[in-house]
């Protein structure tokens, strides 16, 4: 098992803020819009560098998407920022009609996704957003795992032509990916090569998958771990190559088990290569108020839950 260590923890939303600030210097066409959550989205540095390219829309998320679409028509590269719940569910009609249908070059950047939003509770902990966004034709869906990867993804999507949904979170997480990485949209990252089982994880669950891999190694199980940061387009080649080698797969995500990464992998396997699969995900329910650690434990999203899923799926080979 390849060893991953870290010296600090940072929230992935700060990675977005750092990437956006860098874009203020790199790309004069990048503009930023926020729905009254500048601090939460870490947009302060962008505003300091390019105040004339920032638009505070207020608590009017639908209007924000419409304005972003208009700016894209004029050749700008708009980055919208608010909580994931408000970035998707609240404005789905506007995204579908004004962005996805006409293939607008809008980057929908969403913080506080999943259960780890924590104490704000179920009304803010959207667990359906990946499903909502990946079903839109032409929409690229990205869910990053740490500060460095989020920063790199933020910078990369500015050069990508087309609508993007970039999902990140609130809690501090280990920073374990390369500080100077090149982010490749649609290209899976091989975290650890193994032969007994494939663990495919996304977002905050990548670190849990790494911890699970260490536990499994002690038990004699050689796990292959893949970070699928781009859920759409899915890196089918990397997934199929791994599963054909190991013969079984566990998917892990901080999202409803319906409509997320697990379902994308299952759809691929049912059409290309049949293999047993187990899900580590929220089991078709809303969340609740609690600390991130409490919620990850209660809803079965920890390293130990991945280990148990691995044991179960390996028996099905």
């Amino acid at each position: 098992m390849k060893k991953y260590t870290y010296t600090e923890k940072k929230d992935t939303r700060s990675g977005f803020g750092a990437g956006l600030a860098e874009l203020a210097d790199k790309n004069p066409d990048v503009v930023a819009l926020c729905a009254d959550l500048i601090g939460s989205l870490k947009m302060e540095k962008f505003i300091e560098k390019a105040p004339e390219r920032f638009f505070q829309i207020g608590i009017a998320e639908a209007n924000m998407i419409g304005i972003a679409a208009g700016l894209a028509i004029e050749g700008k590269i708009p980055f919208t920022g608010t909580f994931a719940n408000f970035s998707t569910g609240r404005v789905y009609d506007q995204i579908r009609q004004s962005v996805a249908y006409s293939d607008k070059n809008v980057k929908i950047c969403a913080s506080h996704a999943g259960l780890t939003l924590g104490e704000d509770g179920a009304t803010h902990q959207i667990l359906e957003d990946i499903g909502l966004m990946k079903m839109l034709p032409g929409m690229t869906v990205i869910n990053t795992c740490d500060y460095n990867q989020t920063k790199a993804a933020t910078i990369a999507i500015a050069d990508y032509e087309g609508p993007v949904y970039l999902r990140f979170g609130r809690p501090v997480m280990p920073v374990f990916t390369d500080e100077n990485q090149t982010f490749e949209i649609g290209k899976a990252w091989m975290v650890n090569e193994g032969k007994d089982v494939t663990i495919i994880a996304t977002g905050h669950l990548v670190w849990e998958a790494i911890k699970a891999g260490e536990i499994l190694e002690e038990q004699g199980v050689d796990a292959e771990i893949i970070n699928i940061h781009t859920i759409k387009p899915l890196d089918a080649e990397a997934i199929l190559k791994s599963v054909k080698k190991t013969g079984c797969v566990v998917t892990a995500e901080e999202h409803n088990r319906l409509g997320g990464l697990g379902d994308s992998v299952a759809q691929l396997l049912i059409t290309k290569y049949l293999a047993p699969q187990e899900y580590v995900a929220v089991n078709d329910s809303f969340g609740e108020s609690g600390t991130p650690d409490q919620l990850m434990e209660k809803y079965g999203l920890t390293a130990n839950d991945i280990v148990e899923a691995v044991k179960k799926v390996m028996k099905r080979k």
Side-chain angles (χ1 to χ4, degrees), residues 31-35 51-57 67 71:
V31 297
L33 301 84
C34 190
E52 75 286 355
R53 289 190 273 140
F54 174 76
F55 303 91
Q56 173 59 277
I57 309 302
I67 293 171
L71 288 165

Short mmCIF file of all heavy atoms in Angstrom, two decimals, residues 31-35 51-57 67 71:
data_model
loop_
_atom_site.label_atom_id
_atom_site.label_comp_id
_atom_site.label_asym_id
_atom_site.label_seq_id
_atom_site.Cartn_x
_atom_site.Cartn_y
_atom_site.Cartn_z
N VAL A 31 -14.75 36.14 -14.52
CA VAL A 31 -15.52 36.99 -13.62
C VAL A 31 -16.14 36.11 -12.55
O VAL A 31 -16.33 34.90 -12.75
CB VAL A 31 -16.63 37.78 -14.37
CG1 VAL A 31 -16.02 38.73 -15.38
CG2 VAL A 31 -17.61 36.82 -15.06
N ALA A 32 -16.44 36.67 -11.40
CA ALA A 32 -16.99 35.90 -10.29
C ALA A 32 -18.30 36.52 -9.82
O ALA A 32 -18.43 37.75 -9.76
CB ALA A 32 -16.00 35.85 -9.14
N LEU A 33 -19.25 35.66 -9.50
CA LEU A 33 -20.55 36.08 -8.99
C LEU A 33 -20.82 35.32 -7.71
O LEU A 33 -20.49 34.13 -7.60
CB LEU A 33 -21.67 35.80 -9.99
CG LEU A 33 -21.60 36.42 -11.38
CD1 LEU A 33 -20.74 35.57 -12.32
CD2 LEU A 33 -23.00 36.57 -11.98
N CYS A 34 -21.44 35.98 -6.74
CA CYS A 34 -21.73 35.32 -5.47
C CYS A 34 -23.13 35.70 -4.99
O CYS A 34 -23.59 36.83 -5.20
CB CYS A 34 -20.69 35.71 -4.43
SG CYS A 34 -20.78 34.72 -2.91
N ALA A 35 -23.77 34.74 -4.33
CA ALA A 35 -25.12 34.95 -3.79
C ALA A 35 -25.03 35.19 -2.28
O ALA A 35 -25.53 34.40 -1.49
CB ALA A 35 -26.02 33.77 -4.11
N PRO A 51 -11.70 43.77 -8.32
CA PRO A 51 -13.03 44.18 -7.85
C PRO A 51 -14.01 44.50 -8.96
O PRO A 51 -15.22 44.30 -8.81
CB PRO A 51 -12.72 45.43 -7.00
CG PRO A 51 -11.41 45.91 -7.49
CD PRO A 51 -10.63 44.69 -7.88
N GLU A 52 -13.49 44.96 -10.10
CA GLU A 52 -14.36 45.30 -11.23
C GLU A 52 -14.91 44.07 -11.93
O GLU A 52 -15.84 44.16 -12.74
CB GLU A 52 -13.58 46.16 -12.23
CG GLU A 52 -12.57 45.44 -13.10
CD GLU A 52 -11.28 45.03 -12.36
OE1 GLU A 52 -11.12 45.38 -11.17
OE2 GLU A 52 -10.44 44.35 -12.99
N ARG A 53 -14.37 42.89 -11.60
CA ARG A 53 -14.84 41.65 -12.21
C ARG A 53 -15.62 40.78 -11.23
O ARG A 53 -15.83 39.59 -11.46
CB ARG A 53 -13.66 40.86 -12.79
CG ARG A 53 -13.07 41.52 -14.03
CD ARG A 53 -12.08 40.61 -14.71
NE ARG A 53 -10.74 40.74 -14.17
CZ ARG A 53 -9.90 39.72 -13.98
NH1 ARG A 53 -10.29 38.48 -14.22
NH2 ARG A 53 -8.70 39.93 -13.51
N PHE A 54 -16.06 41.36 -10.13
CA PHE A 54 -16.87 40.65 -9.15
C PHE A 54 -18.26 41.26 -9.07
O PHE A 54 -18.41 42.49 -9.08
CB PHE A 54 -16.22 40.68 -7.77
CG PHE A 54 -17.10 40.08 -6.70
CD1 PHE A 54 -17.23 38.71 -6.61
CD2 PHE A 54 -17.83 40.88 -5.84
CE1 PHE A 54 -18.06 38.14 -5.66
CE2 PHE A 54 -18.66 40.32 -4.88
CZ PHE A 54 -18.77 38.95 -4.79
N PHE A 55 -19.26 40.38 -8.95
CA PHE A 55 -20.66 40.82 -8.89
C PHE A 55 -21.34 40.18 -7.69
O PHE A 55 -21.47 38.95 -7.63
CB PHE A 55 -21.40 40.45 -10.18
CG PHE A 55 -20.77 41.02 -11.42
CD1 PHE A 55 -19.81 40.28 -12.11
CD2 PHE A 55 -21.11 42.28 -11.88
CE1 PHE A 55 -19.21 40.80 -13.25
CE2 PHE A 55 -20.52 42.80 -13.01
CZ PHE A 55 -19.57 42.06 -13.70
N GLN A 56 -21.74 41.00 -6.74
CA GLN A 56 -22.49 40.51 -5.59
C GLN A 56 -23.97 40.56 -5.96
O GLN A 56 -24.57 41.62 -6.08
CB GLN A 56 -22.21 41.37 -4.36
CG GLN A 56 -23.07 41.05 -3.14
CD GLN A 56 -22.93 39.61 -2.66
OE1 GLN A 56 -23.58 38.71 -3.19
NE2 GLN A 56 -22.09 39.41 -1.66
N ILE A 57 -24.56 39.39 -6.13
CA ILE A 57 -25.94 39.30 -6.61
C ILE A 57 -26.94 39.31 -5.44
O ILE A 57 -28.10 39.63 -5.61
CB ILE A 57 -26.14 38.03 -7.46
CG1 ILE A 57 -25.06 37.94 -8.54
CG2 ILE A 57 -27.52 38.01 -8.10
CD1 ILE A 57 -25.00 39.13 -9.47
N ILE A 67 -27.62 35.91 -14.96
CA ILE A 67 -26.59 36.90 -15.24
C ILE A 67 -25.32 36.21 -15.74
O ILE A 67 -24.67 36.69 -16.68
CB ILE A 67 -26.30 37.74 -13.98
CG1 ILE A 67 -27.52 38.60 -13.63
CG2 ILE A 67 -25.07 38.62 -14.18
CD1 ILE A 67 -27.41 39.31 -12.29
N LEU A 71 -23.30 36.89 -19.21
CA LEU A 71 -21.88 37.23 -19.26
C LEU A 71 -21.12 36.26 -20.17
O LEU A 71 -20.19 36.66 -20.89
CB LEU A 71 -21.29 37.21 -17.85
CG LEU A 71 -21.70 38.37 -16.95
CD1 LEU A 71 -21.37 38.06 -15.49
CD2 LEU A 71 -21.01 39.66 -17.38
#
